């Protein structure tokens, strides 16, 4: 609406963001869990389309781009450094920081071993289970 050419990239051809009236065009890419293909596609398509700024939207795509930021020298990636991003998106580290700062936080427990979940029945309710990150890449998945 302000004359900015917006391009959406995703693993699916049809996306909610791509259907926006603010979206000028879109392209598909491999999942960011496959960094080599993801990065190659994003770089190629940005170069081909003359894109100057990229805004990764998911935690996984953002961490992938930030981890390989030097490969995007010709593009602006208006995000904090990877170290800062990691600190803010790691729920356990953020919890520990909140504790150190004496902030009011819900009772929280870390279970590193999935087998300890069998003790969940003895936990106080309500209970919310969350991984330490929203999405975690493991062995290309």
């Amino acid at each position: 609406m302000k004359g900015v050419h917006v391009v959406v990239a995703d693993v699916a051809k049809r996306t909610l963001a791509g259907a926006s009236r603010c979206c000028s065009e879109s392209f598909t890419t491999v999942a960011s869990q496959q960094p080599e293909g993801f990065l190659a596609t994003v770089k190629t398509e940005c170069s081909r389309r003359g894109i100057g700024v990229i805004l990764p939207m998911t935690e996984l795509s953002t961490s992938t781009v930030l981890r390989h930021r030097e490969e995007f020298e010709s593009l602006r990636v208006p995000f904090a450094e990877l170290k800062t991003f990691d600190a803010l998106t790691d729920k356990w580290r953020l919890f520990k920081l909140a504790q150190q700062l004496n902030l009011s936080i819900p009772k929280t427990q870390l279970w590193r071993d999935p087998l300890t979940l069998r003790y969940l029945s003895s936990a106080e309710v309500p209970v919310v289970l969350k991984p330490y990150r929203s999405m975690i890449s493991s062995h290309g998945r």
Side-chain angles (χ1 to χ4, degrees):
M1 298 173 124
K2 299 284 185 186
V4 176
H5 187 80
V6 176
V7 179
V8 172
D10 203 328
V11 295
K13 276 191 173 190
R14 296 176 54 108
T15 64
L16 185 59
S20 167
R21 67 175 188 246
C22 297
C23 177
S24 305
E25 60 180 307
S26 62
F27 66 88
T28 57
T29 183
V30 298
S32 52
Q33 294 96 315
Q34 302 166 0
E36 298 81 19
F38 171 78
L39 295 167
T41 302
V42 170
K43 288 188 294 188
T44 299
E45 294 298 327
C46 286
S47 176
R48 190 167 80 78
R49 289 176 164 81
I51 294 170
V53 178
I54 58 172
L55 302 167
M57 292 289 120
T58 67
E59 206 172 286
L60 201 49
S61 63
T62 302
S63 67
T64 301
V65 167
L66 293 178
R67 195 166 276 107
H68 299 273
R69 192 177 218 147
E70 71 283 350
E71 296 180 40
F72 294 97
E73 288 176 352
S74 62
L75 299 168
R76 290 201 57 226
V77 182
F79 284 82
E81 296 300 315
L82 177 62
K83 180 180 173 183
T84 303
F85 177 81
D86 277 345
L88 293 173
T89 56
D90 182 327
K91 291 176 184 77
W92 185 247
R93 284 175 60 188
L94 201 55
F95 164 74
K96 295 302 256 179
L97 177 61
Q99 272 186 324
Q100 290 170 5
L101 297 173
N102 293 320
L103 298 176
S104 177
I105 50 178
K107 181 179 176 186
T108 303
Q109 195 170 0
L110 173 66
W111 291 337
R112 293 186 187 275
D113 181 0
L115 294 176
T116 60
L117 290 177
R118 66 179 172 256
Y119 300 112
L120 182 61
S121 62
S122 65
E124 294 178 32
V125 291
V127 173
V128 176
L129 293 176
K130 294 182 177 186
Y132 78 102
R133 292 206 185 277
S134 296
M135 291 188 89
I136 303 164
S137 179
S138 177
H139 308 293
R141 298 184 63 194

